[in-house]
Amino acid sequence: DAATLHVSSDNGDILDIQNIKIGDSSADLYIDPKENAASGIVWINENGTLFFIHGQLSGDELIKMAESVEAVQ
């Protein structure tokens, strides 16, 4: 099965999209080049759960937050 997620900037700017790894999962990092603009990171973990973190954060901050996500049972 496949899913499509469209991420766009609030102001219509073109986002810088980088494919990175969060653990063993591929992730897409969306960076808005404008200062104080929101950026985001999206990934699906090994259990098929989709994660999306979005806010006025740098790429490094988004990656650190994503890497800190742990499964809770």
Side-chain angles (χ1 to χ4, degrees):
D1 293 337
T4 301
L5 178 69
H6 297 278
V7 178
S8 62
S9 71
D10 295 335
N11 53 23
D13 286 342
I14 295 175
L15 300 174
D16 175 27
I17 304 170
Q18 302 171 26
N19 187 269
I20 61 169
K21 286 283 206 183
I22 299 298
D24 292 332
S25 302
S26 292
D28 292 323
L29 180 63
Y30 299 87
I31 302 296
D32 192 315
K34 286 198 174 176
E35 190 173 332
N36 296 322
S39 297
I41 189 168
V42 179
W43 76 101
I44 299 174
N45 72 1
E46 62 278 355
N47 296 323
T49 303
L50 183 135
F51 294 91
F52 179 52
I53 302 173
H54 182 256
Q56 291 180 330
L57 302 162
S58 71
D60 288 339
E61 291 170 314
L62 288 165
I63 292 168
K64 285 180 187 176
M65 290 176 73
E67 290 175 337
S68 73
V69 171
E70 295 181 11
V72 177
Q73 297 182 6

